[in-house]
Amino acid sequence: MNTSDPIIEFKNVTKRFGNLPVLKDITLSFRQGEVVVICGPSGSGKSTLLRSINRLEPIEKGSIAIEGQVVGNAARDINAMRQRVGFVFQQFNLFPHLSVTENICLAPMHLLGLSREQARQRAAALLKRVGLAEKGDAYPGRLSGGQQQRVAIARTLAMEPPVMLFDEPTSALDPEMVGEVLAVIRELADDGMTLLCVTHEMGFAREVADRIIFMADGEILEDTKPDVFFTAPSSPRARAFLAELRRA
Ligand SMILES: Nc1ncnc2c1ncn2[C@@H]1O[C@H](COP(=O)(O)OP(=O)(O)OP(=O)(O)O)[C@@H](O)[C@H]1O
Ligand SMILES: [Mg+2]
């Protein structure tokens, strides 16, 4: 793959839930190193767009390619591809009966074949990176929401995916913990990681994103640079959405 090729490419992707169209003929690509914020009203299809990338949601028509390879329906394709695309959820989904270090080591040992010692070293380095060097032996239930989300990010990074997807990573957090999680994501962005992030944190979007995608009713209404999006969005829906956020 050439580095200028898209790392993720949607071609005419369509999906419905029952009769409800949720993704309407989406054609879209992301380049390596891009930091993209996806926003839009509730129910507009943001999570579905993200989840369709690693087939947490199957699509009906069109294709999605990752690193130049169209992902087919075979389970082996999907598993190989899921290792290339890290996903961080709103709810952290850590295993409660495993320590922080064990949570991080699990996938690299089972899927990448790292030895326990190699995996533990990787976990220790990642915990340091997310500011939790002291928490390796703790169990998730003893950590704050912000700490759990940082562990979840470390766990995803342990697979060394070239792309990370975040679906509202701070929406389940108390306000005082939002900043610590956004700071970790911002560092990943600064390190050149390809990031797609659904978020309502518009301050973060403005400062960190290279590109903002605004969705409504299963369509992409804006796909532009943050300064354009925040000062002169072209669609009335985006103007209304921003006005609503400012009032909130
Ligand atoms: N599993 C499902 N079955 C049926 N309908 C669904 C399912 N998942 C999502 N939907 C519907 O599809 C539409 C898009 O949902 P999606 O979760 O992608 O929106 P969203 O933009 O992420 O919204 P939010 O901001 O609330 O997270 C919504 O109308 C939703 O109710
Ligand atoms: Mg959502």
Side-chain angles (χ1 to χ4, degrees):
M1 193 182 117
N2 192 307
T3 51
S4 60
D5 291 342
I7 191 159
I8 296 174
E9 190 165 30
F10 283 67
K11 280 193 187 149
N12 305 107
V13 171
T14 296
K15 169 160 186 90
R16 282 169 303 182
F17 282 116
N19 287 329
L20 178 76
V22 187
L23 299 178
K24 297 179 186 164
D25 196 28
I26 304 277
T27 293
L28 184 64
S29 61
F30 301 102
R31 287 185 311 279
Q32 205 165 328
E34 253 187 330
V35 177
V36 183
V37 161
I38 301 165
C39 62
S42 182
S44 55
K46 306 178 299 291
S47 293
T48 307
L49 181 85
L50 221 55
R51 292 164 63 83
S52 67
I53 294 174
N54 66 356
R55 290 283 173 119
L56 292 171
E57 295 292 352
I59 58 173
E60 285 166 27
K61 287 197 203 134
S63 65
I64 299 176
I66 305 199
E67 298 177 303
Q69 295 203 312
V70 173
V71 181
N73 283 318
R76 89 185 130 70
D77 282 5
I78 292 175
N79 287 335
M81 178 274 296
R82 284 194 182 143
Q83 294 184 22
R84 306 293 295 162
V85 182
F87 207 117
V88 176
F89 301 88
Q90 182 176 336
Q91 300 296 343
F92 333 116
N93 297 343
L94 297 171
F95 294 110
H97 60 291
L98 297 180
S99 72
V100 161
T101 295
E102 288 163 345
N103 262 283
I104 299 172
C105 288
L106 203 60
M109 285 170 61
H110 288 278
L111 300 175
L112 300 181
L114 264 60
S115 71
R116 181 170 297 275
E117 190 44 41
Q118 288 169 323
R120 292 185 81 87
Q121 278 175 15
R122 187 175 286 192
L126 288 169
L127 284 174
K128 197 168 165 205
R129 188 162 167 197
V130 300
L132 294 172
E134 311 302 319
K135 296 291 186 190
D137 294 330
Y139 282 79
R142 306 301 294 271
L143 302 180
S144 72
Q147 290 172 333
Q148 289 186 58
Q149 189 60 301
R150 285 185 281 148
V151 172
I153 293 171
R155 179 178 61 173
T156 303
L157 286 170
M159 292 298 287
E160 302 190 326
V163 185
M164 296 261 282
L165 311 179
F166 291 85
D167 193 357
E168 301 205 30
T170 60
S171 319
L173 300 177
D174 291 337
E176 69 270 23
M177 291 167 192
V178 169
E180 67 194 50
V181 171
L182 292 181
V184 167
I185 301 174
R186 178 190 302 247
E187 270 185 38
L188 298 177
D190 291 345
D191 288 349
M193 180 76 135
T194 310
L195 297 180
L196 312 189
C197 183
V198 174
T199 183
H200 297 292
E201 295 289 337
M202 290 296 122
F204 171 83
R206 193 169 201 149
E207 286 168 31
V208 179
D210 300 313
R211 178 176 168 196
I212 310 261
I213 289 178
F214 173 78
M215 291 185 75
D217 298 331
E219 291 179 289
I220 291 169
L221 299 189
E222 310 267 342
D223 182 353
T224 185
K225 295 205 169 302
D227 54 345
V228 176
F229 180 73
F230 287 108
T231 56
S234 53
S235 66
R237 288 296 293 272
R239 287 199 289 275
F241 174 79
L242 287 169
E244 191 65 41
L245 284 183
R246 283 185 194 115
R247 264 199 299 278

